[in-house]
Amino acid sequence: MSNQEVVVLSVGGVRYVTRASTLQQFPESRLARMLNHDDWEFKLVNGEFFVDRDGALFSYIMDFLRTLQVSLPTDFSDYQRLRREAEFYGLHPLADLLSQEHLLKPRLEILEVRFSLQEMQAFFRIFGSCSTTVEALAEQITVFTGQQSGQSWSSPFPSQKTLVPLPLERPSHHDMVFQCGTEYSAGDQFVARYVSIKPDNRKLVNGTNVLGLLFDTLLKDGFRFISARTVTSEEKVECYSFERMKRPPGLTVTVNQTPGSSGVAQAGRGQMQKGK
């Protein structure tokens, strides 16, 4: 790589090394004009471009130029300051994205697990404030059914007999219902329902074991257990509540290639869409 392709910037004393093509993503920006020595704010000192701006926030500017996406940490709060930096550098698409602050802020997500035991069966109902989380969890949970003899129904693991997967009940996009355990069928036969939760490969019939595995799954997925309460003492329905801060999907700017631009990306204000 030639020296002309590598650009070194010192922003508020913080050193950044990047490609010239990265800085030229938006030809009308001050960073692109800087390479032509057309902006007095950028001083060339010992081969490095120096600018007296916020060096820490410039890391987000560089991330945007490299990915064309705004993806900020969950604890980020300097939206207005970063927007001012984007406006200073002439990166108007980035400034436009940052103006949609409500789309970039993390959101508190609540999930409730209702659990009840009735004789040899356990019933679960999961409700989540975010439908995509519930959809993802529904893809992890599988219920299997099969017949067991009276002597083996209490085994925590299924026999070698074929088990048939059952669809989860989905009353709405925000909740799901399933059960596990055994119920009397005929003679000494019992119908058993087992629950498996990916990535764990076990098929569990005991409701307490399933509840424990579900807890572990939620905690590993970033949820925090916050409370437990009894919903109805008569039916012994327990409700367990979890919460987590959910990072929003990144916002992406659409960049168009135009004839005569020598392959340099161009974008105007308002050419925005949600990221993948």
PDB file of all heavy atoms in Angstrom, residues 178-216:
ATOM      1  N   PHE A 178     -46.791 -23.626  26.501  1.00  0.00           N
ATOM      2  CA  PHE A 178     -46.435 -25.040  26.311  1.00  0.00           C
ATOM      3  C   PHE A 178     -46.493 -25.741  27.659  1.00  0.00           C
ATOM      4  O   PHE A 178     -46.631 -25.103  28.707  1.00  0.00           O
ATOM      5  CB  PHE A 178     -45.043 -25.187  25.679  1.00  0.00           C
ATOM      6  CG  PHE A 178     -43.911 -24.617  26.488  1.00  0.00           C
ATOM      7  CD1 PHE A 178     -43.206 -25.403  27.388  1.00  0.00           C
ATOM      8  CD2 PHE A 178     -43.540 -23.287  26.352  1.00  0.00           C
ATOM      9  CE1 PHE A 178     -42.164 -24.892  28.133  1.00  0.00           C
ATOM     10  CE2 PHE A 178     -42.500 -22.758  27.080  1.00  0.00           C
ATOM     11  CZ  PHE A 178     -41.802 -23.553  27.981  1.00  0.00           C
ATOM     12  N   GLN A 179     -46.419 -27.062  27.634  1.00  0.00           N
ATOM     13  CA  GLN A 179     -46.470 -27.839  28.867  1.00  0.00           C
ATOM     14  C   GLN A 179     -45.557 -29.047  28.763  1.00  0.00           C
ATOM     15  O   GLN A 179     -45.135 -29.450  27.666  1.00  0.00           O
ATOM     16  CB  GLN A 179     -47.902 -28.283  29.166  1.00  0.00           C
ATOM     17  CG  GLN A 179     -48.467 -29.300  28.179  1.00  0.00           C
ATOM     18  CD  GLN A 179     -49.919 -29.611  28.446  1.00  0.00           C
ATOM     19  OE1 GLN A 179     -50.804 -28.893  28.002  1.00  0.00           O
ATOM     20  NE2 GLN A 179     -50.177 -30.700  29.178  1.00  0.00           N
ATOM     21  N   CYS A 180     -45.238 -29.606  29.918  1.00  0.00           N
ATOM     22  CA  CYS A 180     -44.462 -30.838  29.962  1.00  0.00           C
ATOM     23  C   CYS A 180     -45.018 -31.715  31.085  1.00  0.00           C
ATOM     24  O   CYS A 180     -45.885 -31.287  31.850  1.00  0.00           O
ATOM     25  CB  CYS A 180     -42.969 -30.550  30.183  1.00  0.00           C
ATOM     26  SG  CYS A 180     -42.605 -29.801  31.785  1.00  0.00           S
ATOM     27  N   GLY A 181     -44.544 -32.945  31.152  1.00  0.00           N
ATOM     28  CA  GLY A 181     -45.024 -33.868  32.168  1.00  0.00           C
ATOM     29  C   GLY A 181     -45.765 -35.035  31.554  1.00  0.00           C
ATOM     30  O   GLY A 181     -45.634 -35.318  30.352  1.00  0.00           O
ATOM     31  N   THR A 182     -46.564 -35.706  32.355  1.00  0.00           N
ATOM     32  CA  THR A 182     -47.256 -36.916  31.890  1.00  0.00           C
ATOM     33  C   THR A 182     -48.729 -36.871  32.276  1.00  0.00           C
ATOM     34  O   THR A 182     -49.126 -36.212  33.242  1.00  0.00           O
ATOM     35  CB  THR A 182     -46.626 -38.174  32.522  1.00  0.00           C
ATOM     36  OG1 THR A 182     -46.688 -38.068  33.947  1.00  0.00           O
ATOM     37  CG2 THR A 182     -45.182 -38.337  32.090  1.00  0.00           C
ATOM     38  N   GLU A 183     -49.522 -37.583  31.492  1.00  0.00           N
ATOM     39  CA  GLU A 183     -50.938 -37.741  31.811  1.00  0.00           C
ATOM     40  C   GLU A 183     -51.360 -39.158  31.428  1.00  0.00           C
ATOM     41  O   GLU A 183     -50.813 -39.767  30.508  1.00  0.00           O
ATOM     42  CB  GLU A 183     -51.789 -36.707  31.075  1.00  0.00           C
ATOM     43  CG  GLU A 183     -51.668 -36.742  29.558  1.00  0.00           C
ATOM     44  CD  GLU A 183     -52.492 -35.643  28.906  1.00  0.00           C
ATOM     45  OE1 GLU A 183     -53.449 -35.183  29.534  1.00  0.00           O
ATOM     46  OE2 GLU A 183     -52.175 -35.257  27.767  1.00  0.00           O
ATOM     47  N   TYR A 184     -52.360 -39.672  32.152  1.00  0.00           N
ATOM     48  CA  TYR A 184     -52.805 -41.050  31.965  1.00  0.00           C
ATOM     49  C   TYR A 184     -53.398 -41.243  30.575  1.00  0.00           C
ATOM     50  O   TYR A 184     -54.141 -40.403  30.082  1.00  0.00           O
ATOM     51  CB  TYR A 184     -53.839 -41.405  33.037  1.00  0.00           C
ATOM     52  CG  TYR A 184     -54.393 -42.801  32.920  1.00  0.00           C
ATOM     53  CD1 TYR A 184     -53.625 -43.909  33.275  1.00  0.00           C
ATOM     54  CD2 TYR A 184     -55.689 -43.006  32.455  1.00  0.00           C
ATOM     55  CE1 TYR A 184     -54.142 -45.185  33.162  1.00  0.00           C
ATOM     56  CE2 TYR A 184     -56.225 -44.286  32.348  1.00  0.00           C
ATOM     57  CZ  TYR A 184     -55.439 -45.360  32.703  1.00  0.00           C
ATOM     58  OH  TYR A 184     -55.943 -46.637  32.596  1.00  0.00           O
ATOM     59  N   SER A 185     -53.062 -42.372  29.948  1.00  0.00           N
ATOM     60  CA  SER A 185     -53.578 -42.671  28.613  1.00  0.00           C
ATOM     61  C   SER A 185     -54.509 -43.874  28.680  1.00  0.00           C
ATOM     62  O   SER A 185     -55.723 -43.746  28.679  1.00  0.00           O
ATOM     63  CB  SER A 185     -52.434 -42.948  27.633  1.00  0.00           C
ATOM     64  OG  SER A 185     -52.946 -43.330  26.376  1.00  0.00           O
ATOM     65  N   ALA A 186     -53.966 -45.068  28.775  1.00  0.00           N
ATOM     66  CA  ALA A 186     -54.780 -46.290  28.857  1.00  0.00           C
ATOM     67  C   ALA A 186     -53.893 -47.405  29.394  1.00  0.00           C
ATOM     68  O   ALA A 186     -52.696 -47.454  29.104  1.00  0.00           O
ATOM     69  CB  ALA A 186     -55.344 -46.666  27.487  1.00  0.00           C
ATOM     70  N   GLY A 187     -54.500 -48.287  30.177  1.00  0.00           N
ATOM     71  CA  GLY A 187     -53.727 -49.375  30.741  1.00  0.00           C
ATOM     72  C   GLY A 187     -52.626 -48.819  31.626  1.00  0.00           C
ATOM     73  O   GLY A 187     -52.849 -48.009  32.519  1.00  0.00           O
ATOM     74  N   ASP A 188     -51.405 -49.292  31.379  1.00  0.00           N
ATOM     75  CA  ASP A 188     -50.278 -48.744  32.146  1.00  0.00           C
ATOM     76  C   ASP A 188     -49.488 -47.748  31.300  1.00  0.00           C
ATOM     77  O   ASP A 188     -48.330 -47.476  31.573  1.00  0.00           O
ATOM     78  CB  ASP A 188     -49.354 -49.881  32.614  1.00  0.00           C
ATOM     79  CG  ASP A 188     -48.675 -50.578  31.434  1.00  0.00           C
ATOM     80  OD1 ASP A 188     -49.160 -50.419  30.285  1.00  0.00           O
ATOM     81  OD2 ASP A 188     -47.657 -51.244  31.652  1.00  0.00           O
ATOM     82  N   GLN A 189     -50.149 -47.176  30.265  1.00  0.00           N
ATOM     83  CA  GLN A 189     -49.477 -46.229  29.379  1.00  0.00           C
ATOM     84  C   GLN A 189     -49.765 -44.781  29.803  1.00  0.00           C
ATOM     85  O   GLN A 189     -50.863 -44.458  30.248  1.00  0.00           O
ATOM     86  CB  GLN A 189     -49.940 -46.427  27.926  1.00  0.00           C
ATOM     87  CG  GLN A 189     -49.569 -47.789  27.342  1.00  0.00           C
ATOM     88  CD  GLN A 189     -48.072 -47.947  27.174  1.00  0.00           C
ATOM     89  OE1 GLN A 189     -47.404 -47.089  26.596  1.00  0.00           O
ATOM     90  NE2 GLN A 189     -47.540 -49.060  27.678  1.00  0.00           N
ATOM     91  N   PHE A 190     -48.762 -43.948  29.642  1.00  0.00           N
ATOM     92  CA  PHE A 190     -48.885 -42.530  29.907  1.00  0.00           C
ATOM     93  C   PHE A 190     -48.386 -41.764  28.692  1.00  0.00           C
ATOM     94  O   PHE A 190     -47.463 -42.200  27.996  1.00  0.00           O
ATOM     95  CB  PHE A 190     -48.046 -42.123  31.125  1.00  0.00           C
ATOM     96  CG  PHE A 190     -48.626 -42.550  32.433  1.00  0.00           C
ATOM     97  CD1 PHE A 190     -48.488 -43.859  32.889  1.00  0.00           C
ATOM     98  CD2 PHE A 190     -49.311 -41.643  33.223  1.00  0.00           C
ATOM     99  CE1 PHE A 190     -49.026 -44.246  34.098  1.00  0.00           C
ATOM    100  CE2 PHE A 190     -49.846 -42.028  34.436  1.00  0.00           C
ATOM    101  CZ  PHE A 190     -49.713 -43.331  34.881  1.00  0.00           C
ATOM    102  N   VAL A 191     -49.024 -40.637  28.416  1.00  0.00           N
ATOM    103  CA  VAL A 191     -48.532 -39.730  27.387  1.00  0.00           C
ATOM    104  C   VAL A 191     -47.568 -38.754  28.062  1.00  0.00           C
ATOM    105  O   VAL A 191     -47.952 -38.079  29.030  1.00  0.00           O
ATOM    106  CB  VAL A 191     -49.676 -38.971  26.695  1.00  0.00           C
ATOM    107  CG1 VAL A 191     -49.116 -37.935  25.725  1.00  0.00           C
ATOM    108  CG2 VAL A 191     -50.594 -39.941  25.966  1.00  0.00           C
ATOM    109  N   ALA A 192     -46.354 -38.706  27.572  1.00  0.00           N
ATOM    110  CA  ALA A 192     -45.343 -37.829  28.163  1.00  0.00           C
ATOM    111  C   ALA A 192     -44.994 -36.707  27.203  1.00  0.00           C
ATOM    112  O   ALA A 192     -44.923 -36.915  25.988  1.00  0.00           O
ATOM    113  CB  ALA A 192     -44.087 -38.630  28.507  1.00  0.00           C
ATOM    114  N   ARG A 193     -44.804 -35.524  27.754  1.00  0.00           N
ATOM    115  CA  ARG A 193     -44.340 -34.377  26.965  1.00  0.00           C
ATOM    116  C   ARG A 193     -42.992 -33.926  27.513  1.00  0.00           C
ATOM    117  O   ARG A 193     -42.861 -33.636  28.705  1.00  0.00           O
ATOM    118  CB  ARG A 193     -45.353 -33.227  27.020  1.00  0.00           C
ATOM    119  CG  ARG A 193     -46.630 -33.480  26.226  1.00  0.00           C
ATOM    120  CD  ARG A 193     -47.532 -32.239  26.245  1.00  0.00           C
ATOM    121  NE  ARG A 193     -48.734 -32.439  25.431  1.00  0.00           N
ATOM    122  CZ  ARG A 193     -49.849 -32.976  25.866  1.00  0.00           C
ATOM    123  NH1 ARG A 193     -49.913 -33.381  27.129  1.00  0.00           N
ATOM    124  NH2 ARG A 193     -50.897 -33.130  25.086  1.00  0.00           N
ATOM    125  N   TYR A 194     -42.023 -33.868  26.625  1.00  0.00           N
ATOM    126  CA  TYR A 194     -40.671 -33.450  26.978  1.00  0.00           C
ATOM    127  C   TYR A 194     -40.383 -32.091  26.341  1.00  0.00           C
ATOM    128  O   TYR A 194     -40.894 -31.781  25.262  1.00  0.00           O
ATOM    129  CB  TYR A 194     -39.637 -34.463  26.481  1.00  0.00           C
ATOM    130  CG  TYR A 194     -39.786 -35.842  27.091  1.00  0.00           C
ATOM    131  CD1 TYR A 194     -40.643 -36.789  26.523  1.00  0.00           C
ATOM    132  CD2 TYR A 194     -39.063 -36.198  28.219  1.00  0.00           C
ATOM    133  CE1 TYR A 194     -40.778 -38.050  27.074  1.00  0.00           C
ATOM    134  CE2 TYR A 194     -39.193 -37.463  28.782  1.00  0.00           C
ATOM    135  CZ  TYR A 194     -40.048 -38.381  28.203  1.00  0.00           C
ATOM    136  OH  TYR A 194     -40.179 -39.629  28.748  1.00  0.00           O
ATOM    137  N   VAL A 195     -39.558 -31.312  27.000  1.00  0.00           N
ATOM    138  CA  VAL A 195     -39.192 -29.992  26.487  1.00  0.00           C
ATOM    139  C   VAL A 195     -37.681 -29.935  26.285  1.00  0.00           C
ATOM    140  O   VAL A 195     -36.908 -30.343  27.157  1.00  0.00           O
ATOM    141  CB  VAL A 195     -39.637 -28.869  27.452  1.00  0.00           C
ATOM    142  CG1 VAL A 195     -39.093 -27.518  26.990  1.00  0.00           C
ATOM    143  CG2 VAL A 195     -41.157 -28.826  27.533  1.00  0.00           C
ATOM    144  N   SER A 196     -37.308 -29.423  25.131  1.00  0.00           N
ATOM    145  CA  SER A 196     -35.892 -29.194  24.815  1.00  0.00           C
ATOM    146  C   SER A 196     -35.711 -27.706  24.515  1.00  0.00           C
ATOM    147  O   SER A 196     -36.546 -27.096  23.839  1.00  0.00           O
ATOM    148  CB  SER A 196     -35.478 -30.028  23.601  1.00  0.00           C
ATOM    149  OG  SER A 196     -34.149 -29.731  23.222  1.00  0.00           O
ATOM    150  N   ILE A 197     -34.634 -27.108  25.042  1.00  0.00           N
ATOM    151  CA  ILE A 197     -34.338 -25.693  24.809  1.00  0.00           C
ATOM    152  C   ILE A 197     -32.918 -25.578  24.263  1.00  0.00           C
ATOM    153  O   ILE A 197     -31.950 -25.861  24.974  1.00  0.00           O
ATOM    154  CB  ILE A 197     -34.482 -24.851  26.095  1.00  0.00           C
ATOM    155  CG1 ILE A 197     -35.859 -25.048  26.731  1.00  0.00           C
ATOM    156  CG2 ILE A 197     -34.242 -23.373  25.786  1.00  0.00           C
ATOM    157  CD1 ILE A 197     -36.049 -24.292  28.030  1.00  0.00           C
ATOM    158  N   LYS A 198     -32.810 -25.202  22.998  1.00  0.00           N
ATOM    159  CA  LYS A 198     -31.488 -25.066  22.387  1.00  0.00           C
ATOM    160  C   LYS A 198     -30.689 -23.975  23.081  1.00  0.00           C
ATOM    161  O   LYS A 198     -31.272 -22.993  23.571  1.00  0.00           O
ATOM    162  CB  LYS A 198     -31.639 -24.726  20.892  1.00  0.00           C
ATOM    163  CG  LYS A 198     -32.336 -25.794  20.076  1.00  0.00           C
ATOM    164  CD  LYS A 198     -32.514 -25.330  18.637  1.00  0.00           C
ATOM    165  CE  LYS A 198     -33.251 -26.357  17.818  1.00  0.00           C
ATOM    166  NZ  LYS A 198     -33.487 -25.898  16.433  1.00  0.00           N
ATOM    167  N   PRO A 199     -29.356 -24.103  23.153  1.00  0.00           N
ATOM    168  CA  PRO A 199     -28.527 -25.144  22.533  1.00  0.00           C
ATOM    169  C   PRO A 199     -28.397 -26.417  23.361  1.00  0.00           C
ATOM    170  O   PRO A 199     -27.677 -27.322  22.974  1.00  0.00           O
ATOM    171  CB  PRO A 199     -27.169 -24.444  22.410  1.00  0.00           C
ATOM    172  CG  PRO A 199     -27.126 -23.524  23.571  1.00  0.00           C
ATOM    173  CD  PRO A 199     -28.531 -23.033  23.760  1.00  0.00           C
ATOM    174  N   ASP A 200     -29.094 -26.517  24.500  1.00  0.00           N
ATOM    175  CA  ASP A 200     -29.064 -27.732  25.304  1.00  0.00           C
ATOM    176  C   ASP A 200     -29.807 -28.833  24.556  1.00  0.00           C
ATOM    177  O   ASP A 200     -30.904 -28.615  24.050  1.00  0.00           O
ATOM    178  CB  ASP A 200     -29.728 -27.459  26.660  1.00  0.00           C
ATOM    179  CG  ASP A 200     -29.429 -28.548  27.678  1.00  0.00           C
ATOM    180  OD1 ASP A 200     -29.903 -29.679  27.475  1.00  0.00           O
ATOM    181  OD2 ASP A 200     -28.744 -28.256  28.666  1.00  0.00           O
ATOM    182  N   ASN A 201     -29.242 -30.018  24.511  1.00  0.00           N
ATOM    183  CA  ASN A 201     -29.832 -31.113  23.732  1.00  0.00           C
ATOM    184  C   ASN A 201     -30.732 -32.030  24.562  1.00  0.00           C
ATOM    185  O   ASN A 201     -31.325 -32.962  24.017  1.00  0.00           O
ATOM    186  CB  ASN A 201     -28.722 -31.953  23.089  1.00  0.00           C
ATOM    187  CG  ASN A 201     -27.964 -31.181  22.025  1.00  0.00           C
ATOM    188  OD1 ASN A 201     -28.565 -30.431  21.257  1.00  0.00           O
ATOM    189  ND2 ASN A 201     -26.648 -31.364  21.982  1.00  0.00           N
ATOM    190  N   ARG A 202     -30.822 -31.789  25.867  1.00  0.00           N
ATOM    191  CA  ARG A 202     -31.630 -32.675  26.705  1.00  0.00           C
ATOM    192  C   ARG A 202     -33.127 -32.489  26.441  1.00  0.00           C
ATOM    193  O   ARG A 202     -33.568 -31.400  26.078  1.00  0.00           O
ATOM    194  CB  ARG A 202     -31.342 -32.398  28.181  1.00  0.00           C
ATOM    195  CG  ARG A 202     -29.952 -32.804  28.631  1.00  0.00           C
ATOM    196  CD  ARG A 202     -29.714 -32.357  30.065  1.00  0.00           C
ATOM    197  NE  ARG A 202     -29.753 -30.896  30.185  1.00  0.00           N
ATOM    198  CZ  ARG A 202     -29.765 -30.249  31.349  1.00  0.00           C
ATOM    199  NH1 ARG A 202     -29.793 -30.936  32.488  1.00  0.00           N
ATOM    200  NH2 ARG A 202     -29.786 -28.921  31.374  1.00  0.00           N
ATOM    201  N   LYS A 203     -33.870 -33.563  26.656  1.00  0.00           N
ATOM    202  CA  LYS A 203     -35.329 -33.525  26.590  1.00  0.00           C
ATOM    203  C   LYS A 203     -35.831 -33.811  28.010  1.00  0.00           C
ATOM    204  O   LYS A 203     -35.697 -34.914  28.511  1.00  0.00           O
ATOM    205  CB  LYS A 203     -35.864 -34.556  25.598  1.00  0.00           C
ATOM    206  CG  LYS A 203     -35.445 -34.293  24.156  1.00  0.00           C
ATOM    207  CD  LYS A 203     -35.995 -35.359  23.226  1.00  0.00           C
ATOM    208  CE  LYS A 203     -35.648 -35.083  21.765  1.00  0.00           C
ATOM    209  NZ  LYS A 203     -34.189 -35.145  21.515  1.00  0.00           N
ATOM    210  N   LEU A 204     -36.402 -32.779  28.625  1.00  0.00           N
ATOM    211  CA  LEU A 204     -36.766 -32.853  30.038  1.00  0.00           C
ATOM    212  C   LEU A 204     -38.267 -32.977  30.202  1.00  0.00           C
ATOM    213  O   LEU A 204     -39.042 -32.287  29.534  1.00  0.00           O
ATOM    214  CB  LEU A 204     -36.271 -31.602  30.766  1.00  0.00           C
ATOM    215  CG  LEU A 204     -34.765 -31.313  30.665  1.00  0.00           C
ATOM    216  CD1 LEU A 204     -34.424 -30.001  31.360  1.00  0.00           C
ATOM    217  CD2 LEU A 204     -33.945 -32.449  31.251  1.00  0.00           C
ATOM    218  N   VAL A 205     -38.691 -33.832  31.131  1.00  0.00           N
ATOM    219  CA  VAL A 205     -40.104 -34.040  31.391  1.00  0.00           C
ATOM    220  C   VAL A 205     -40.537 -33.375  32.689  1.00  0.00           C
ATOM    221  O   VAL A 205     -41.710 -33.026  32.860  1.00  0.00           O
ATOM    222  CB  VAL A 205     -40.440 -35.549  31.411  1.00  0.00           C
ATOM    223  CG1 VAL A 205     -39.848 -36.219  32.637  1.00  0.00           C
ATOM    224  CG2 VAL A 205     -41.944 -35.791  31.323  1.00  0.00           C
ATOM    225  N   ASN A 206     -39.610 -33.177  33.595  1.00  0.00           N
ATOM    226  CA  ASN A 206     -39.921 -32.592  34.896  1.00  0.00           C
ATOM    227  C   ASN A 206     -40.023 -31.074  34.773  1.00  0.00           C
ATOM    228  O   ASN A 206     -39.110 -30.399  34.287  1.00  0.00           O
ATOM    229  CB  ASN A 206     -38.825 -32.972  35.905  1.00  0.00           C
ATOM    230  CG  ASN A 206     -39.101 -32.416  37.288  1.00  0.00           C
ATOM    231  OD1 ASN A 206     -38.831 -31.259  37.562  1.00  0.00           O
ATOM    232  ND2 ASN A 206     -39.640 -33.260  38.165  1.00  0.00           N
ATOM    233  N   GLY A 207     -41.160 -30.519  35.226  1.00  0.00           N
ATOM    234  CA  GLY A 207     -41.407 -29.093  35.069  1.00  0.00           C
ATOM    235  C   GLY A 207     -40.394 -28.222  35.781  1.00  0.00           C
ATOM    236  O   GLY A 207     -39.987 -27.172  35.267  1.00  0.00           O
ATOM    237  N   THR A 208     -39.960 -28.624  36.977  1.00  0.00           N
ATOM    238  CA  THR A 208     -38.979 -27.837  37.721  1.00  0.00           C
ATOM    239  C   THR A 208     -37.650 -27.795  36.976  1.00  0.00           C
ATOM    240  O   THR A 208     -36.972 -26.754  36.938  1.00  0.00           O
ATOM    241  CB  THR A 208     -38.789 -28.417  39.130  1.00  0.00           C
ATOM    242  OG1 THR A 208     -40.057 -28.447  39.800  1.00  0.00           O
ATOM    243  CG2 THR A 208     -37.820 -27.571  39.931  1.00  0.00           C
ATOM    244  N   ASN A 209     -37.272 -28.912  36.372  1.00  0.00           N
ATOM    245  CA  ASN A 209     -36.032 -28.941  35.589  1.00  0.00           C
ATOM    246  C   ASN A 209     -36.123 -28.043  34.358  1.00  0.00           C
ATOM    247  O   ASN A 209     -35.175 -27.348  34.005  1.00  0.00           O
ATOM    248  CB  ASN A 209     -35.701 -30.373  35.167  1.00  0.00           C
ATOM    249  CG  ASN A 209     -35.338 -31.258  36.343  1.00  0.00           C
ATOM    250  OD1 ASN A 209     -34.978 -30.758  37.414  1.00  0.00           O
ATOM    251  ND2 ASN A 209     -35.436 -32.570  36.154  1.00  0.00           N
ATOM    252  N   VAL A 210     -37.281 -28.067  33.712  1.00  0.00           N
ATOM    253  CA  VAL A 210     -37.486 -27.210  32.538  1.00  0.00           C
ATOM    254  C   VAL A 210     -37.416 -25.741  32.947  1.00  0.00           C
ATOM    255  O   VAL A 210     -36.810 -24.917  32.273  1.00  0.00           O
ATOM    256  CB  VAL A 210     -38.832 -27.524  31.861  1.00  0.00           C
ATOM    257  CG1 VAL A 210     -39.121 -26.516  30.745  1.00  0.00           C
ATOM    258  CG2 VAL A 210     -38.833 -28.941  31.302  1.00  0.00           C
ATOM    259  N   LEU A 211     -38.024 -25.406  34.076  1.00  0.00           N
ATOM    260  CA  LEU A 211     -37.992 -24.026  34.564  1.00  0.00           C
ATOM    261  C   LEU A 211     -36.552 -23.589  34.837  1.00  0.00           C
ATOM    262  O   LEU A 211     -36.159 -22.465  34.490  1.00  0.00           O
ATOM    263  CB  LEU A 211     -38.830 -23.905  35.833  1.00  0.00           C
ATOM    264  CG  LEU A 211     -38.946 -22.498  36.433  1.00  0.00           C
ATOM    265  CD1 LEU A 211     -39.684 -21.575  35.472  1.00  0.00           C
ATOM    266  CD2 LEU A 211     -39.656 -22.542  37.783  1.00  0.00           C
ATOM    267  N   GLY A 212     -35.763 -24.466  35.444  1.00  0.00           N
ATOM    268  CA  GLY A 212     -34.365 -24.135  35.711  1.00  0.00           C
ATOM    269  C   GLY A 212     -33.567 -23.915  34.436  1.00  0.00           C
ATOM    270  O   GLY A 212     -32.763 -22.978  34.346  1.00  0.00           O
ATOM    271  N   LEU A 213     -33.808 -24.767  33.436  1.00  0.00           N
ATOM    272  CA  LEU A 213     -33.111 -24.608  32.158  1.00  0.00           C
ATOM    273  C   LEU A 213     -33.543 -23.326  31.462  1.00  0.00           C
ATOM    274  O   LEU A 213     -32.723 -22.626  30.854  1.00  0.00           O
ATOM    275  CB  LEU A 213     -33.386 -25.825  31.266  1.00  0.00           C
ATOM    276  CG  LEU A 213     -32.747 -25.796  29.871  1.00  0.00           C
ATOM    277  CD1 LEU A 213     -31.229 -25.647  29.958  1.00  0.00           C
ATOM    278  CD2 LEU A 213     -33.117 -27.060  29.096  1.00  0.00           C
ATOM    279  N   LEU A 214     -34.827 -22.987  31.560  1.00  0.00           N
ATOM    280  CA  LEU A 214     -35.325 -21.754  30.959  1.00  0.00           C
ATOM    281  C   LEU A 214     -34.684 -20.534  31.630  1.00  0.00           C
ATOM    282  O   LEU A 214     -34.289 -19.575  30.956  1.00  0.00           O
ATOM    283  CB  LEU A 214     -36.851 -21.697  31.091  1.00  0.00           C
ATOM    284  CG  LEU A 214     -37.552 -20.477  30.487  1.00  0.00           C
ATOM    285  CD1 LEU A 214     -37.259 -20.363  28.996  1.00  0.00           C
ATOM    286  CD2 LEU A 214     -39.053 -20.562  30.725  1.00  0.00           C
ATOM    287  N   PHE A 215     -34.551 -20.567  32.963  1.00  0.00           N
ATOM    288  CA  PHE A 215     -33.872 -19.496  33.690  1.00  0.00           C
ATOM    289  C   PHE A 215     -32.439 -19.331  33.170  1.00  0.00           C
ATOM    290  O   PHE A 215     -31.989 -18.216  32.887  1.00  0.00           O
ATOM    291  CB  PHE A 215     -33.850 -19.804  35.192  1.00  0.00           C
ATOM    292  CG  PHE A 215     -34.994 -19.216  35.958  1.00  0.00           C
ATOM    293  CD1 PHE A 215     -36.298 -19.395  35.528  1.00  0.00           C
ATOM    294  CD2 PHE A 215     -34.790 -18.492  37.115  1.00  0.00           C
ATOM    295  CE1 PHE A 215     -37.377 -18.861  36.228  1.00  0.00           C
ATOM    296  CE2 PHE A 215     -35.843 -17.944  37.828  1.00  0.00           C
ATOM    297  CZ  PHE A 215     -37.143 -18.143  37.391  1.00  0.00           C
ATOM    298  N   ASP A 216     -31.712 -20.434  33.082  1.00  0.00           N
ATOM    299  CA  ASP A 216     -30.319 -20.385  32.618  1.00  0.00           C
ATOM    300  C   ASP A 216     -30.235 -19.791  31.213  1.00  0.00           C
ATOM    301  O   ASP A 216     -29.333 -18.991  30.919  1.00  0.00           O
ATOM    302  CB  ASP A 216     -29.704 -21.785  32.619  1.00  0.00           C
ATOM    303  CG  ASP A 216     -29.444 -22.310  34.025  1.00  0.00           C
ATOM    304  OD1 ASP A 216     -29.435 -21.482  34.966  1.00  0.00           O
ATOM    305  OD2 ASP A 216     -29.268 -23.528  34.179  1.00  0.00           O
TER     306      ASP A 216
END
